[in-house]
Amino acid sequence: PTIHTAANLDSVLGKSSGVLRDIVINASPSEVPLSLLVLHGLVCEQYKVLSTVHVHSSVQNVPSKLWNCLGEGNHCRSRREYELGFTLVWKDVHKPQMKFSIQSMCSIEGEGNVARFLFALLGRRYDAVTSTRIDNWVDVAIFQLKKGSSKEKAAVLRSLNSALCKNPWVVGVDLTLADVVLYCALRQAEIDGFPANVQRWVKSCENLACFNLALKLLK
Amino acid sequence: MTKGESGGVQEDQPQSKKAAKKLQKEAEKAAKKAEKQAKLASENQAGDEEDFAKDRYGILPMIQSQEKLDRVLVHVKTLTEEKADQVVWLRSRVHTSRAKGKQCFLVLRQQQFNVQGLVAVGDHVSKQMVKFAANISKESIVDVEGIVRKVDQKIESCSQQDVELHIEKIYVISAAEPRLPLQLEDAMRPEAGDEEGRATVNQDTRLDNRIIDLRTMTSQSIFRLQAGVCQLFRETLIKKEFVEVQTPKIISAASEGGANVFTVSLSISQSMKYSLKFMFRAEDSNTHRHLTEFVGLDIEMAFNYHYHEVVTEIAGTLVQIFKGLRDRHQTEIQTVCKQYPCEPFKFLEPTLRLEFPEAVAMLKEAGVEMGDEEDLSTPNEKLLGRLVKEKYDTDFYILDKYPLAVRPFYTMPDPHDPKYSNSYDMFMRGEEILSGAQRIHDPQLLTDRALQLGIDIEKIKSYIDSFRYGAPPHAGGGIGLERVTMLYLGLHNIRQTSMFPRDPKRLTP
């Protein structure tokens, strides 16, 4: 059901003004939005991204691994040579938030919603059913797996296991946003012992390069 | 006649009744007055006779260093609960005094701290002493001995809220004239207080009486914070092994732009230098952010391969200053905030760096019409500051890669796009505080650029010659101390952060 299109920022974001399009993400260092870091890796595979990490004056003593959580960027080139800016700011915020085009967009709140936006940059299109299922899994991951009770978590684990018995990935035969967000939520929920299918899926996630930096942070 | 007389009598009678009453009242009044006077006289007499406290107060002869007293004067700021029930001496100003019957309340001020003092009739204090204390003019300097006492209810109007001073001796060291050209209370009132219809003091009156205006807690805090900026600037750069240099301010020819600043410093050595100095600007600009004489903090630094090495260094220094102010001068920031409310200064570490075309794109998106190589106007700078704040939530950022056309001749062109240059401005709260660039260190290119801009080569000969015998690539920038203080505190006028401001219209005090 996946419809691949030629990835092109102009087709996703509309006309270009010819300068760096900078995505600003504010996140609290006490609650690292792991999925956004994985998505950053995915976006970097497709576009020339200028990644920078800043610490806002509202927070102090940010651990050093968060200062370079986007990897050792090579910033020798001029900003205008990049297609996309990814500016991560460690800041005192309740929820992760994203600011992009301040004239036409309000700031986007919540890890799940920011994740949806970042994944959409990849330009993958899905039919209505698939995209709704992906959206649903994102909600499940954020609200039930991350913030739910142990009972809710167990229920998610069961349904995840059964979803993974038919397919290599959560939704269909390709990696989708659902895999990224579910994987990160699962690792941050500190659950011991996964069912067989989930275990296999966790391994295949960790084999992907884009998960590397996030994995480093977990250690 | 009779009629008239009788009429007169008739008319007279009620009048005389009234008059009688009036007379009686007057008599009563007079009697009371006399009684009061007699009482007062007798009191005074009695007082004169039996003022048991006459050695405990008075006006001291002028201190001409007659004697070395073995007396410890404590600072008002040290008067806390820990000192309760101790006898202390202190020297302070009389901020206000309020007499009420047998007691007199004084607010004693020392720098930006004050404490409530109380002179009350008792074993050590006589009525005459209370009267004397109440009559000391505001702003007089007094030496006071008293006992520190804890108070039940916090004294909201003072910086030392938990204690008051029960005064047992009070001597005037230096009396102030009874009439002050402006009231400190008025000069310290928040601007928002206008609704109450109470007086505030306008900027010019303040500046005309700067000596008194500098005594307000707000001014005291502003200049302590400003000293902090200088100290942090030095500390940071010394740690980075910069060398402080002094350069002459008098030069032969009026060279273009800021070139005069660098003429001398570059030929001395080739490493990293900084300098704090007075700078002069002869423009006739009467704005809230221009002075004709100000303190410049200049940094000039040789780099290895890319001028961003310098940009990072300068921005890092400023961030260290902001952090230092936040951590060391919170009291001062809070004090200024009381009179001039303002959001805390926000910044990112490392500092946000945008490039000029990005800024133009942001402004265009916000509906501003401007050319790609046009310089930013002041309103556009401010708007850009707001846009950057909205997106990045920072009050401090760097704008890099200015169009070559709007920068001085010694600015290094951008190697990739000759329309642009290796120059940058830094902004605080949407106002420029630093303008810097990679300087051309090649005498040939320098001459070419000067010629292109129609500058008389003869006049800048010594500047160009200083690069003939090997000059390293270098960049730098200058910061205005007053502007940094003003914008960090979110004040609206640069004259507030200059102790004795100089502008095209002001040479005194």
Side-chain angles (χ1 to χ4, degrees):
Chain A
T2 312
I3 308 155
H4 281 279
T5 57
N8 179 341
L9 272 183
D10 280 353
S11 71
V12 182
L13 293 172
K15 62 164 180 59
S16 158
S17 51
V19 296
L20 186 75
R21 295 190 255 218
D22 200 4
I23 299 172
V24 180
I25 291 173
N26 297 317
S28 163
S30 57
E31 217 174 312
V32 179
L34 218 51
S35 66
L36 304 186
L37 302 184
V38 176
L39 286 163
H40 165 258
L42 275 173
V43 173
C44 283
E45 285 172 9
Q46 203 164 321
Y47 302 106
K48 267 198 262 174
V49 180
L50 174 67
S51 318
T52 45
V53 181
H54 297 273
V55 174
H56 191 258
S57 53
S58 60
V59 291
Q60 289 183 45
N61 306 322
V62 174
S64 59
K65 64 178 181 181
L66 293 187
W67 280 84
N68 47 27
C69 62
L70 296 183
E72 303 291 326
N74 181 13
H75 297 172
C76 287
R77 279 182 294 174
S78 163
R79 281 170 74 90
R80 69 192 96 150
E81 289 176 42
Y82 295 90
E83 292 169 280
L84 202 62
F86 191 97
T87 304
L88 178 62
V89 182
W90 297 114
K91 185 179 168 185
D92 182 23
V93 282
H94 294 301
K95 279 182 192 174
Q97 53 174 222
M98 189 195 87
K99 288 184 181 181
F100 183 56
S101 168
I102 48 166
Q103 296 300 332
S104 53
M105 280 166 72
C106 62
S107 91
I108 294 180
E109 304 264 332
E111 184 175 345
N113 296 327
V114 179
R116 285 181 178 109
F117 179 88
L118 292 179
F119 195 78
L121 291 177
L122 302 175
R124 298 184 197 167
R125 304 262 173 79
Y126 303 99
D127 58 40
V129 175
T130 316
S131 55
T132 310
R133 278 168 65 206
I134 295 172
D135 267 345
N136 183 51
W137 277 115
V138 172
D139 281 345
V140 166
I142 300 291
F143 297 108
Q144 280 168 265
L145 207 49
K146 268 192 133 170
K147 291 173 189 153
S149 63
S150 54
K151 225 175 177 181
E152 277 175 292
K153 285 178 188 172
V156 175
L157 222 51
R158 275 197 302 278
S159 50
L160 185 59
N161 198 45
S162 58
L164 286 167
C165 70
K166 286 173 250 157
N167 290 314
W169 300 100
V170 179
V171 181
V173 292
D174 287 311
L175 176 92
T176 64
L177 179 65
D179 298 288
V180 175
V181 179
L182 276 166
Y183 169 83
C184 295
L186 202 61
R187 290 300 303 256
Q188 287 180 311
E190 289 176 359
I191 298 166
D192 300 320
F194 299 139
N197 294 334
V198 175
Q199 226 162 22
R200 176 182 49 75
W201 166 79
V202 164
K203 275 222 181 89
S204 36
C205 284
E206 287 171 0
N207 281 335
L208 293 175
C210 57
F211 283 82
N212 280 348
L213 280 170
L215 270 171
K216 257 188 213 162
L217 278 183
L218 279 171
K219 276 169 196 161
Chain B
M1 273 280 281
T2 336
K3 213 181 175 184
E5 255 183 10
S6 66
V9 172
Q10 269 172 351
E11 269 174 22
D12 231 318
Q13 242 165 352
Q15 258 185 12
S16 66
K17 256 191 196 169
K18 264 189 196 167
K21 259 189 189 171
K22 215 178 180 180
L23 266 173
Q24 205 186 341
K25 262 189 186 168
E26 263 168 27
E28 270 172 35
K29 249 188 195 169
K32 264 188 190 169
K33 211 175 173 184
E35 204 180 324
K36 223 177 182 178
Q37 260 172 356
K39 203 175 158 191
L40 229 121
S42 71
E43 254 177 29
N44 272 351
Q45 228 177 8
D48 283 344
E49 277 162 18
E50 38 175 286
D51 182 4
F52 56 89
K54 63 170 177 287
D55 295 333
R56 295 176 178 276
Y57 64 92
I59 296 173
L60 284 195
M62 180 170 67
I63 294 187
Q64 216 174 347
S65 309
Q66 290 98 332
E67 49 181 345
K68 290 183 182 176
L69 271 186
D70 205 14
R71 181 186 289 165
V72 181
L73 296 171
V74 301
H75 198 289
V76 164
K77 73 176 168 201
T78 64
L79 299 181
T80 55
E81 283 188 47
E82 287 164 27
K83 274 214 164 54
D85 302 322
Q86 286 182 25
V87 178
V88 294
W89 273 98
L90 58 93
R91 177 168 297 177
S92 64
R93 283 183 190 277
V94 174
H95 185 63
T96 57
S97 68
R98 184 164 48 91
K100 218 169 126 189
K102 287 186 173 179
Q103 48 190 9
C104 172
F105 289 96
L106 302 167
V107 174
L108 302 172
R109 192 186 77 238
Q110 188 169 15
Q111 292 157 356
Q112 72 268 49
F113 305 96
N114 53 16
V115 67
Q116 176 166 287
L118 172 64
V119 191
V121 174
D123 292 345
H124 302 284
V125 177
S126 63
K127 274 185 186 172
Q128 291 86 347
M129 182 169 163
V130 174
K131 204 174 160 196
F132 174 82
N135 281 333
I136 301 174
S137 52
K138 276 187 190 181
E139 292 304 298
S140 296
I141 300 173
V142 291
D143 270 8
V144 162
E145 188 195 43
I147 304 175
V148 184
R149 295 280 192 217
K150 260 209 252 182
V151 289
D152 303 329
Q153 255 190 341
K154 284 200 177 218
I155 304 165
E156 300 290 347
S157 56
C158 290
S159 68
Q160 310 311 110
Q161 303 197 329
D162 300 319
V163 293
E164 61 180 11
L165 193 68
H166 288 217
I167 295 168
E168 299 193 333
K169 289 179 186 165
I170 183 162
Y171 303 102
V172 175
I173 298 296
S174 175
E177 285 187 18
R179 278 179 62 90
L180 295 169
L182 63 95
Q183 298 299 317
L184 256 74
E185 293 290 299
D186 296 341
M188 278 169 62
R189 196 159 283 138
E191 280 162 338
D194 282 356
E195 305 144 22
E196 297 166 40
R198 297 173 108 174
T200 51
V201 187
N202 71 32
Q203 187 74 39
D204 271 330
T205 315
R206 279 167 196 276
L207 295 181
D208 290 342
N209 301 287
R210 194 60 164 156
I211 290 299
I212 297 176
D213 182 45
L214 285 174
R215 294 179 190 169
T216 62
M217 287 156 101
T218 311
S219 298
Q220 290 274 329
S221 299
I222 290 174
F223 291 102
R224 268 159 220 282
L225 188 107
Q226 191 164 78
V229 175
C230 283
Q231 195 192 342
L232 286 157
F233 180 76
R234 282 205 166 97
E235 264 177 37
T236 315
L237 291 175
I238 288 170
K239 236 183 258 169
K240 293 178 179 178
E241 301 190 335
F242 276 67
V243 179
E244 178 158 351
V245 296
Q246 304 297 339
T247 58
K249 280 75 193 170
I250 303 171
I251 50 168
S252 62
S255 23
E256 198 270 338
N260 51 353
V261 178
F262 307 107
T263 317
V264 203
S265 55
L266 279 169
S267 46
I268 306 172
S269 82
Q270 304 178 341
S271 62
M272 312 181 284
K273 292 182 292 295
Y274 72 94
S275 158
L276 279 89
K277 59 186 170 201
F278 288 100
M279 311 249 299
F280 306 93
R281 194 187 292 267
E283 292 167 37
D284 187 21
S285 44
N286 294 290
T287 71
H288 77 284
R289 60 172 193 176
H290 283 97
L291 292 170
T292 45
E293 182 185 324
F294 61 98
V295 179
L297 310 176
D298 284 355
I299 303 179
E300 207 61 33
M301 182 185 151
F303 62 82
N304 297 333
Y305 296 103
H306 200 292
Y307 75 101
H308 280 176
E309 296 163 31
V310 180
V311 178
T312 311
E313 209 66 56
I314 298 177
T317 303
L318 281 160
V319 166
Q320 286 308 314
I321 292 175
F322 302 149
K323 280 176 139 179
L325 293 178
R326 178 189 68 188
D327 299 341
R328 295 184 199 169
H329 294 278
Q330 206 42 243
T331 338
E332 283 83 6
I333 295 170
Q334 297 300 333
T335 309
V336 178
C337 244
K338 268 183 211 156
Q339 187 171 359
Y340 302 104
C342 176
E343 262 192 61
F345 190 80
K346 293 176 179 168
F347 52 91
L348 297 176
E349 196 184 359
T351 306
L352 177 72
R353 187 179 64 87
L354 300 174
E355 289 181 3
F356 199 83
E358 285 176 78
V360 175
M362 281 174 95
L363 285 169
K364 278 184 175 167
E365 210 185 329
V368 174
E369 280 179 37
M370 68 177 289
D372 287 342
E373 285 178 74
E374 201 180 305
D375 202 0
L376 289 178
S377 65
T378 309
N380 283 350
E381 274 181 11
K382 284 198 173 163
L383 174 60
L384 182 63
R386 279 211 298 279
L387 296 173
V388 170
K389 173 104 187 230
E390 201 176 324
K391 184 158 179 180
Y392 299 92
D393 198 27
T394 176
D395 290 308
F396 177 57
Y397 70 96
I398 307 164
L399 190 55
D400 198 10
K401 296 282 168 207
Y402 269 69
L404 186 62
V406 304
R407 304 299 264 202
F409 74 96
Y410 51 80
T411 309
M412 183 66 85
D414 181 11
H416 304 297
D417 188 344
K419 274 199 307 191
Y420 292 99
S421 64
N422 292 349
S423 63
Y424 43 88
D425 275 8
M426 297 190 187
F427 293 88
M428 281 172 74
R429 298 198 202 257
E431 294 193 42
E432 179 241 306
I433 53 146
L434 175 142
S435 201
Q438 175 182 354
R439 331 284 184 193
I440 299 174
H441 60 283
D442 177 79
Q444 192 52 53
L445 180 56
L446 194 58
T447 314
D448 292 349
R449 284 292 298 149
L451 285 173
Q452 273 172 27
L453 296 181
I455 294 165
D456 184 358
I457 297 294
E458 273 312 301
K459 276 189 179 166
I460 52 164
K461 192 171 176 298
S462 70
Y463 179 62
I464 296 177
D465 284 348
S466 63
F467 296 106
R468 293 198 191 280
Y469 311 103
H474 63 282
I479 312 161
L481 174 66
E482 287 87 352
R483 263 194 208 180
V484 172
T485 318
M486 163 176 89
L487 294 167
Y488 185 85
L489 291 169
L491 300 173
H492 301 304
N493 196 311
I494 196 154
R495 287 157 191 82
Q496 288 171 305
T497 56
S498 175
M499 201 167 262
F500 297 104
R502 291 288 175 266
D503 62 42
K505 289 183 178 134
R506 181 175 289 279
L507 283 169
T508 49

